[in-house]
Amino acid sequence: IACAEIPHGLWTDIINGLMQSVTNTASTEQSKEASLETLGYICQDIDPNVLEKQSNDILTAIVFGMKREQAIAVRLAATNALLNSLEFTRSNFSNEAERNIIMQVVCEASQCGDALVKVAALQCLVRIMSLYYQFMESYMSAALFPISVDAMRNKASDVALQGIEFWSNVCEEEINLGLEAEEAQENGRVPEHTSRHYAKGAVSHLSPILLETMADQEDADDDDDWTPSKAAGVCIMLLAQTVGNDIIDSVLPFLVHFSSPKWQYREAAIMAFGSILDGPDPTKLVPLVEQALPPLINSMTDPNVHVRDTAAWTIGRMCEICGEVVTRPQVLTTLLPAMSASLNQEPRVATNVCWAIVSLTKAAYEQAVALGTDNSGQPDTFVLSACFEPMINELIKTTDRADSNQSNLRLAAFETLMELIKNSPKDCYHVVQQTTLLMLKKLEQLLDMEAHATSASDKSQLMDLQALLCATLQSVVRKMQHGDAPKVADPMMNGLLQIMDRSAGRANNVIEEALVAVSTLVEALKSDFLRYVDALRPHLLRGLATADDTAVAIAAVGVVTDLCRALEGGVTPILDDIMGAFINAVQNPRVNPEVKVSMLGAFGDVALAIGQQFVRYQGHVVDLLNNAANAAIVQDADNVDQVDYVDKLREQCINAYTGMLQGLRDDSDSPTAAQNTRQSVMPFVRQMCDLINKCCDSTPVLASDSLLTVCAGLIGDLVNIFGTEIIQAFDMAKVSSLLARGRRSRASRIKTLANWATKEVRKVAPQALAMS
Amino acid sequence: RFSHQYKNAAKASEQQARRRNEALDRIRSAREDKFDRYRQIAEMEDE
């Protein structure tokens, strides 16, 4: 009830009432506990901004309840309530005296004999470290370091996990601060926040504890459980990313356990090695990787499955990070057979091998591209060409394994197939052709099997498989050489239409994948796709009308965009239906805003496709764009999601206007062409200029680079059409400043468009830019 | 909070998200190409 009422300014005394109930000397233990639990629930569920003004009352109650003299149940309720209230206590944390009090009670609670209070207090410290990193300096060496290290060493898993999580959080925070510092340096400014490099100072103390924890595991550990051993592995990985070369000396001695008689130590040593590959300088890593590769390849046949699994993962990390080493022919001679054999091991091992193959193939392809390509951008050959076909065949066999539904193996094998196709050089093209035919045959078989399947679970599995086949078809069609796509178009469209027919109304990603596959075929066939449009129409409209599956609706919008580009005027017969579906969806409150935004952008694609014919939709569309642009206002500049949404919405509105403007352009040689264009565009010029002025306004937030780019484009288009008379509709000081920002950008497209728009303005009104 | 970073726990969903983003990027870049053709920006760059 409080969560419903407080945001509306009602029940204003509830928080104070609960505080009194905790601090009142006459309150019973049960009353204190219940009041604190209630406070905790309110803090958990309510928008943090709403409670910010009452944070003093809340903290008074919590700090009182956490004190040592209180009963355990009260301390627990108070500590849990604190965990939920940390987000809106920034002002209290900014005040040193108040911060000291909060930190003192939390640190004391972390030493409580009761495990639940201890864990809850440690959770608070983890959260505090994330939220208030900048205030932690005076507590780190005296309290936070010993408390967290002590927790890491604790035998109780729940406690150890919080100790490890504390340092994973520190690392994550410092990685982000490092990025912020780099960005600030690039832009020649001082970063707002700075790293205190706690991880660097602690790495030599933390690593031995973490490495021992990694080895503390049992055969019977459940794969799905989050254990201190796994958490320690992730923490070492984050430490490596944070401290770079400094991790090497701490971890190197532990690698002696590669040959330990205990599988736990063998696994931990391999895991540790794989975990430190991302962070240190490649020059330091390469000799280590060269040295570790032979024993690692041997570990792929270790008697223990945990060791084999981790060895496969580590080899994948090497392929991802040290591509230069793993693609050497002498390395491949032993690595490829080991990978091939391991693909037949337990699903969990085979899954990691699949991901390793993805990284290996990408590394080989990038290397070949770096050596040079022709206009196609594809290399003639690469180091895996000779074994490419067998690799594809083994992966296809893997997708057929009876146990491939375990450990995500089937999905990993299909994703690997797709990556192999995507990263294949010209001399492997015959394999792409064969794979296409095989996928089509499999699709046909699956549709047949689905028709005969009776149980819901069988049907659902078959649909998942169909989704993966659709995704694989996308990658093969994208790779197809001109002229080959028409050969597979009929069977492919036939299969895709059947899939969409049978999946109608069911929530499944198969429809999304089928629609994206249609998109790739449209792109490949261009105007030849026209013959499938009638058959596709009902599925496309159903996709556009899907209010509860965002991905399906966005994929359907993508098909419309591709159809517009491929068929241009040929799309006209289905446009009334499509535009009706767009307009309904944009006005439907149940439809996800992301879908609406993509539809707004697609109006521009429709306009570009049909040119003057768009006039029949123009009134409706301009109203919608205008309403959307007026509603899109940043009210809270700190709300990243809101800022991002408004930015995207404006970007798509500008795309729509740009498409309309360019579509309505009279490009003929007629002497009245320029006048005709101005007349066609005139009905919505005011709206475009208003939107541009809003986008150029740097308050409350600057336009993103994407928005800046499209905005510069539209400014240039308008000036090009209307010349000097449009200048007065712009807020030129802001427009100039936006264009200047674009010209300074390092991204070539932003720079190009900003320069182009600037030239267009200078042509007609040089003083307009100079004045501002 | 960090369990998705353990080994390849999040790899499959990352791959799928990447494919989804690539599809959106293709649309965006095809649209940009078309706009730029009207603006004769490619020609301007060649100059």
Side-chain angles (χ1 to χ4, degrees):
Chain A
I1 296 167
C3 289
E5 298 211 343
I6 296 173
H8 296 285
L10 302 168
W11 211 4
T12 50
D13 56 352
I14 175 64
I15 298 293
N16 185 268
L18 288 168
M19 184 270 280
Q20 300 284 351
S21 172
V22 176
T23 54
N24 190 335
T25 45
S27 286
T28 62
E29 187 188 314
Q30 287 84 352
S31 174
K32 288 180 192 170
E33 183 190 356
S35 302
L36 283 161
E37 276 192 357
T38 308
L39 264 180
Y41 287 135
I42 296 172
C43 294
Q44 184 182 332
D45 290 338
I46 213 160
D47 175 0
N49 297 322
V50 174
L51 283 185
E52 222 162 291
K53 283 186 187 142
Q54 304 189 66
S55 64
N56 284 342
D57 277 355
I58 295 169
L59 278 176
T60 303
I62 289 173
V63 169
F64 187 91
M66 283 178 76
K67 286 190 172 158
R68 252 186 281 201
E69 56 270 27
Q70 298 296 335
I72 289 295
V74 175
R75 292 183 78 185
L76 181 61
T79 314
N80 282 330
L82 178 67
L83 187 59
N84 292 333
S85 64
L86 287 168
E87 276 199 43
F88 49 81
T89 50
R90 178 159 291 277
S91 64
N92 307 85
F93 266 89
S94 309
N95 177 308
E96 192 184 349
E98 289 185 43
R99 184 168 70 236
N100 284 341
I101 295 171
I102 301 169
M103 290 305 289
Q104 190 183 340
V105 288
V106 184
C107 290
E108 271 175 20
S110 74
Q111 303 306 301
C112 180
D114 181 85
L116 291 178
V117 175
K118 192 181 182 75
V119 170
L122 288 166
Q123 283 176 320
C124 287
L125 289 180
V126 171
R127 192 97 189 91
I128 288 170
M129 198 64 200
S130 282
L131 290 168
Y132 307 115
Y133 176 91
Q134 299 295 330
F135 298 126
M136 291 299 112
E137 194 154 8
S138 50
Y139 313 103
M140 182 49 92
S141 58
L144 298 177
F145 180 79
I147 290 172
S148 58
V149 166
D150 190 45
M152 284 165 79
R153 289 198 175 110
N154 200 296
K155 289 283 163 222
S157 288
D158 287 353
V159 176
L161 278 172
Q162 291 311 317
I164 298 167
E165 182 122 350
F166 177 88
W167 283 101
S168 292
N169 248 295
V170 170
C171 291
E172 204 178 57
E173 202 60 35
E174 293 186 350
I175 290 168
N176 289 334
L177 288 168
L179 294 174
E180 195 182 323
E182 266 175 39
E183 204 185 310
Q185 198 181 10
E186 273 176 24
N187 297 317
R189 55 180 171 79
V190 180
E192 203 180 330
H193 307 103
T194 50
S195 175
R196 304 290 201 273
H197 303 289
Y198 299 130
K200 207 175 173 66
V203 65
S204 60
H205 304 280
L206 301 176
S207 297
I209 309 171
L210 289 167
L211 292 166
E212 279 302 319
T213 308
M214 284 166 73
D216 186 12
Q217 47 183 331
E218 298 296 332
D219 251 326
D221 282 348
D222 191 327
D223 285 346
D224 295 330
D225 280 350
W226 184 235
T227 61
S229 166
K230 291 178 185 173
V234 173
C235 192
I236 282 280
M237 189 172 76
L238 291 166
L239 270 173
Q241 288 169 17
T242 317
V243 306
N245 291 345
D246 288 5
I247 193 80
I248 295 178
D249 288 344
S250 312
V251 171
L252 222 47
F254 193 76
L255 301 187
V256 69
H257 295 301
F258 259 51
S259 52
S260 167
K262 290 184 180 167
W263 74 261
Q264 290 90 340
Y265 276 88
R266 292 199 302 279
E267 196 275 343
I270 296 171
M271 182 78 196
F273 185 65
S275 301
I276 62 163
L277 289 175
D278 183 17
D281 290 338
T283 46
K284 297 248 178 203
L285 284 176
V286 167
L288 292 175
V289 169
E290 285 167 342
Q291 204 184 331
L293 246 172
L296 266 174
I297 292 174
N298 279 340
S299 299
M300 302 270 276
T301 52
D302 193 280
N304 186 285
V305 65
H306 299 271
V307 178
R308 281 183 270 124
D309 183 73
T310 302
W313 173 77
T314 300
I315 286 176
R317 293 267 294 175
M318 283 179 171
C319 296
E320 200 179 329
I321 298 159
C322 303
E324 182 263 308
V325 178
V326 289
T327 49
R328 292 178 193 163
Q330 70 274 26
V331 171
L332 289 173
T333 314
T334 47
L335 181 58
L336 286 171
M339 279 180 156
S340 167
S342 301
L343 212 46
N344 297 314
Q345 291 189 21
E346 292 86 342
R348 55 185 281 185
V349 181
T351 299
N352 281 319
V353 173
C354 283
W355 297 129
I357 293 173
V358 169
S359 301
L360 176 67
T361 312
K362 277 185 183 171
Y365 192 77
E366 277 165 22
Q367 224 167 54
V369 169
L371 289 173
T373 67
D374 61 10
N375 289 343
S376 69
Q378 293 185 27
D380 290 334
T381 185
F382 72 167
V383 70
L384 298 174
S385 283
C387 57
F388 191 78
E389 191 168 354
M391 278 166 86
I392 292 274
N393 290 338
E394 284 185 32
L395 283 166
I396 291 171
K397 258 192 244 160
T398 308
T399 66
D400 286 336
R401 271 173 65 160
D403 58 358
S404 63
N405 56 337
Q406 293 171 32
S407 304
N408 265 340
L409 175 57
R410 187 178 296 142
L411 204 153
F414 268 110
E415 291 284 355
T416 308
L417 255 182
M418 292 176 222
E419 286 295 329
L420 255 68
I421 298 286
K422 184 178 161 191
N423 294 296
S424 59
K426 287 184 192 166
D427 65 350
C428 296
Y429 185 66
H430 65 285
V431 188
V432 176
Q433 289 171 311
Q434 286 165 20
T435 311
T436 313
L437 296 178
L438 187 70
M439 290 299 126
L440 287 170
K441 201 170 149 198
K442 273 178 170 276
L443 189 57
E444 201 181 311
Q445 286 168 350
L446 272 184
L447 287 165
D448 195 40
M449 280 163 77
E450 196 202 334
H452 296 101
T454 46
S455 83
S457 127
D458 283 354
K459 283 198 177 206
S460 155
Q461 274 210 35
L462 287 169
M463 282 170 76
D464 283 345
L465 200 45
Q466 285 168 14
L468 289 166
L469 280 173
C470 288
T472 314
L473 281 171
Q474 293 160 28
S475 73
V476 287
V477 171
R478 224 163 259 139
K479 198 77 185 179
M480 263 177 191
Q481 288 171 2
H482 187 68
D484 275 354
K487 293 179 199 159
V488 295
D490 273 355
M492 184 166 158
M493 264 316 275
N494 185 29
L496 295 174
L497 291 169
Q498 278 193 65
I499 286 177
M500 290 190 279
D501 224 7
R502 293 183 196 183
S503 317
R506 284 188 256 179
N508 195 298
N509 74 336
V510 66
I511 306 180
E512 180 200 356
E513 295 289 10
L515 284 167
V516 180
V518 169
S519 265
T520 54
L521 201 55
V522 174
E523 234 180 324
L525 293 179
K526 307 224 163 36
S527 59
D528 287 344
F529 190 85
L530 194 61
R531 63 181 191 270
Y532 303 115
V533 166
D534 277 340
L536 177 66
R537 180 205 300 241
H539 304 293
L540 188 54
L541 293 174
R542 199 164 38 235
L544 293 174
T546 307
D548 43 13
D549 193 331
T550 306
V552 168
I554 288 180
V557 178
V559 174
V560 173
T561 299
D562 287 322
L563 283 174
C564 287
R565 236 181 313 278
L567 306 182
E568 299 194 322
V571 79
T572 313
I574 60 165
L575 269 189
D576 277 358
D577 288 342
I578 287 175
M579 290 298 282
F582 275 4
I583 290 166
N584 284 339
V586 171
Q587 292 172 329
N588 182 351
R590 279 187 58 225
V591 172
N592 184 298
E594 223 182 304
V595 176
K596 295 183 185 186
V597 166
S598 70
M599 286 177 170
L600 292 178
F603 283 137
D605 304 317
V606 173
L608 263 182
I610 60 170
Q612 286 293 336
Q613 290 183 62
F614 192 76
V615 173
R616 56 203 292 232
Y617 306 119
Q618 193 171 292
H620 274 308
V621 171
V622 170
D623 281 349
L624 284 177
L625 292 174
N626 209 22
N627 289 343
N630 287 336
I633 291 166
V634 175
Q635 283 161 330
D636 175 6
D638 293 329
N639 184 336
V640 182
D641 292 340
Q642 189 185 78
V643 170
D644 188 50
Y645 172 66
V646 169
D647 204 278
K648 284 209 172 93
L649 192 140
R650 287 178 174 172
E651 184 186 339
Q652 294 310 330
C653 285
I654 289 190
N655 278 333
Y657 280 131
T658 307
M660 286 162 65
L661 189 135
Q662 295 189 350
L664 292 171
R665 238 185 146 109
D666 182 347
D667 284 328
S668 67
D669 294 332
S670 148
T672 56
Q675 184 56 29
N676 295 344
T677 303
R678 283 197 279 272
Q679 249 169 13
S680 305
V681 175
M682 196 58 89
F684 55 96
V685 153
R686 183 76 252 165
Q687 284 86 339
M688 288 192 275
C689 293
D690 286 349
L691 181 55
I692 286 171
N693 288 335
K694 270 186 205 165
C695 297
C696 293
D697 200 342
S698 56
T699 52
V701 281
L702 276 177
S704 70
D705 282 354
S706 312
L707 179 56
L708 189 163
T709 315
V710 295
C711 204
L714 186 57
I715 292 168
D717 289 335
L718 281 168
V719 174
N720 183 273
I721 293 171
F722 288 96
T724 184
E725 60 188 283
I726 201 76
I727 298 290
Q728 50 203 292
F730 290 145
D731 183 335
M732 272 318 287
K734 288 176 180 165
V735 166
S736 292
S737 151
L738 181 105
L739 293 180
R741 199 184 123 203
R743 291 195 301 272
R744 284 195 305 269
S745 171
R746 288 181 187 183
S748 70
R749 186 169 158 75
I750 305 177
K751 212 177 169 72
T752 304
L753 273 173
N755 278 329
W756 172 75
T758 305
K759 274 186 191 167
E760 293 295 315
V761 176
R762 280 197 184 129
K763 266 190 233 166
V764 299
Q767 75 289 357
L769 284 170
M771 271 166 63
S772 57
Chain B
R1 200 163 76 79
F2 293 93
S3 56
H4 66 283
Q5 295 191 42
Y6 180 69
K7 288 191 183 171
N8 286 318
K11 195 84 173 184
S13 54
E14 280 168 11
Q15 284 282 114
Q16 285 179 312
R18 191 188 46 72
R19 285 196 295 108
R20 217 170 250 176
N21 284 336
E22 279 177 3
L24 293 176
D25 283 348
R26 261 192 297 277
I27 287 177
R28 173 196 281 257
S29 104
R31 186 181 278 156
E32 288 172 353
D33 286 351
K34 191 128 190 172
F35 287 166
D36 287 358
R37 270 205 297 280
Y38 276 86
R39 294 168 180 148
Q40 298 176 325
I41 281 188
E43 287 84 339
M44 188 185 92
E45 279 179 328
D46 290 343
E47 282 165 28

